[in-house]
Amino acid sequence: MALEHAILVSLEERPGTGYELARRFGKSIGFFWAATHQQIYRTLKRMVGLGWVTGEEIAQDGRPDKRLYRVADAGRVEVARWLAEAGEPTTLRHELSVKVRGASLGDVAAVTAEVARHRDVHAQRLDAFLAIERRDFPDPTALAGQRLHQYLVLRGGVRAERALVEWCDEVLAAMREDDRR
Amino acid sequence: MALEHAILVSLEERPGTGYELARRFGKSIGFFWAATHQQIYRTLKRMVGLGWVTGEEIAQDGRPDKRLYRVADAGRVEVARWLAEAGEPTTLRHELSVKVRGASLGDVAAVTAEVARHRDVHAQRLDAFLAIERRDFPDPTALAGQRLHQYLVLRGGVRAERALVEWCDEVLAAMREDDRR
DNA sequence: TGGCCCATGTAAGCGGTTACATGATTGA
DNA sequence: TCAATCATGTAACCGCTTACATGGGCCA
């Protein structure tokens, strides 16, 4: 499991509330590890219990109270332990591939349309990543340390989305060609 | 959820026992949708309850009895329904990216080593996919229908693994360069 | 003798998803 | 007036992971 660790990494970059973390997981870190607010609140509670983070209650007026979470020493130890630990390389889990594989068991044209739809979503994500890359990392050769690491993760997103777009294009070309015959 | 659907697709290609399906999910279809034998047995039971598959008990001597599963009509209807249904494009969930992003919170060299290890695993998977491609699909332009669809899914695996290998190489080059400075 | 193959399962626990709930402030 | 934002939560359910269990046949 890595949600705890993703939260720890994010909180070390900057302390925040559960709500704020949920928003971060809607972008940046969330591009590589998605999580909903319910998941985050529950996990934060557990992490307080483990002593990995501390939650400081902050009263606000005109707004609901909030709890600002910070990484505690035990959390820093845990991150370091996890970073050095060997993990399983990702196994793919790609529903669309299962649909393509089974396309002839139903309406092939519907599956083709679905591939086209996914293609567009991935193309949009790719554009978004490329825009961030241009805006935040105009000179990648000058990067070092944490900034370099952030850049490299973004590069992974670019590569993944590009691969997905290109695969969808290959599938569309082949299936349309097959349909024509 | 798509495990049911992956099983239906696999059983339509060829009926099989839970054990056999578990082995299929250890390769071919399993490259794109992993599942353990416990998951498969439980899901098959549920699917019998739903009327999507039938399980024929077959006594064997010298070996445990087995149950041969086949897709029922209701299962065929369900596959067709699912194929035409719009699904969410994959969101990435990549633990190694989270580690790279947090590398400076621990032993950077350990994370670099982890990336190198993953690189090798992905390179091996890529080679395995390419070997299957050469062996089973020597002339892709001649493919149609179900065989074409199988080929296209394999192409997705090739593209995904290649993208991962190349990303790992980019990360390794950049992090080693950063280390040298 | 030891380990792998065939073949199926139970049980416990965890993590993730979805629905529902509250309630004030701010801006269109 | 309506919707969005800030901010946190409960509850139910489902799926997935891991450990444990059984037991004969086959091959080195």
Side-chain angles (χ1 to χ4, degrees):
Chain A
M1 230 293 296
L3 177 56
E4 285 98 332
H5 301 109
I7 290 176
L8 286 171
V9 167
S10 189
L11 284 181
E12 284 247 67
E13 288 179 2
R14 196 159 19 96
T17 67
Y19 185 83
E20 227 184 301
L21 274 169
R23 310 208 76 213
R24 288 188 212 171
F25 275 81
K27 46 182 216 274
S28 81
I29 261 239
F31 292 144
F32 311 97
W33 201 273
T36 61
H37 79 273
Q38 294 85 343
Q39 237 183 106
I40 289 166
Y41 283 123
R42 210 159 16 93
T43 304
L44 281 169
K45 270 195 178 169
R46 192 168 7 120
M47 289 166 77
V48 170
L50 289 165
W52 293 359
V53 297
T54 56
E56 181 195 353
E57 202 123 355
I58 297 179
Q60 302 186 113
D61 38 52
R63 289 202 178 164
D65 295 353
K66 62 181 183 181
R67 246 186 296 276
L68 190 71
Y69 291 96
R70 285 171 213 279
V71 180
D73 286 342
R76 251 164 249 126
V77 170
E78 171 58 23
V79 173
R81 189 203 61 72
W82 168 74
L83 281 173
E85 180 188 64
E88 276 302 298
T90 322
T91 36
L92 310 172
R93 196 158 249 231
H94 196 231
E95 186 165 3
L96 189 59
S97 286
V98 182
K99 281 192 182 173
V100 169
R101 171 108 184 209
S104 55
L105 305 175
D107 182 354
V108 176
V111 175
T112 309
E114 177 76 349
V115 174
R117 205 173 57 80
H118 284 236
R119 190 233 173 256
D120 291 344
V121 172
H122 291 304
Q124 273 171 34
R125 289 190 194 157
L126 175 59
D127 283 347
F129 285 159
L130 288 173
I132 296 172
E133 194 182 328
R134 276 191 304 270
R135 192 193 61 202
D136 294 351
F137 306 99
D139 181 12
T141 55
L143 297 169
Q146 207 158 1
R147 288 287 293 160
L148 173 63
H149 303 152
Q150 281 177 14
Y151 168 74
L152 290 171
V153 170
L154 182 64
R155 290 291 303 156
V158 167
R159 286 181 182 277
E161 296 297 344
R162 185 173 285 146
L164 283 162
V165 171
E166 289 173 357
W167 176 71
C168 288
D169 284 338
E170 182 179 356
V171 172
L172 288 170
M175 287 180 74
R176 283 168 181 163
E177 173 63 25
D178 187 37
D179 192 46
R180 238 173 277 126
R181 294 188 299 217
Chain B
M1 227 292 296
L3 177 56
E4 285 97 335
H5 302 108
I7 289 176
L8 287 171
V9 167
S10 188
L11 284 181
E12 284 247 67
E13 288 180 1
R14 194 158 21 93
T17 67
Y19 186 81
E20 229 186 299
L21 274 169
R23 309 208 76 214
R24 288 188 214 170
F25 275 81
K27 46 182 215 277
S28 79
I29 262 239
F31 293 144
F32 311 96
W33 201 274
T36 62
H37 80 273
Q38 293 86 343
Q39 235 183 106
I40 289 167
Y41 283 123
R42 211 159 15 94
T43 305
L44 281 170
K45 271 195 179 167
R46 194 173 359 126
M47 290 167 76
V48 170
L50 290 165
W52 293 359
V53 298
T54 56
E56 180 195 355
E57 202 123 356
I58 296 178
Q60 302 187 113
D61 39 54
R63 287 200 180 164
D65 294 355
K66 62 182 183 182
R67 245 186 295 275
L68 189 71
Y69 291 95
R70 284 171 214 281
V71 180
D73 286 343
R76 250 164 248 126
V77 170
E78 171 58 23
V79 173
R81 190 202 60 73
W82 168 75
L83 280 173
E85 179 190 65
E88 276 303 298
T90 322
T91 35
L92 310 171
R93 194 157 249 233
H94 198 231
E95 185 165 3
L96 189 58
S97 287
V98 182
K99 280 191 182 175
V100 169
R101 171 110 182 207
S104 56
L105 305 173
D107 182 355
V108 177
V111 175
T112 310
E114 178 76 348
V115 174
R117 204 173 59 78
H118 285 234
R119 189 232 174 256
D120 291 343
V121 172
H122 291 304
Q124 273 171 34
R125 288 189 193 158
L126 175 59
D127 283 348
F129 284 158
L130 289 173
I132 296 172
E133 194 182 330
R134 276 191 304 269
R135 194 192 60 200
D136 294 350
F137 305 99
D139 181 12
T141 55
L143 297 170
Q146 207 160 0
R147 288 286 292 160
L148 173 63
H149 303 151
Q150 281 177 16
Y151 168 74
L152 290 171
V153 170
L154 182 63
R155 290 289 304 155
V158 167
R159 287 182 181 277
E161 296 296 345
R162 186 173 284 144
L164 282 163
V165 169
E166 289 173 359
W167 176 71
C168 286
D169 284 338
E170 182 179 355
V171 172
L172 288 170
M175 287 181 73
R176 283 169 182 161
E177 173 65 25
D178 188 35
D179 192 47
R180 236 173 277 126
R181 291 188 304 219

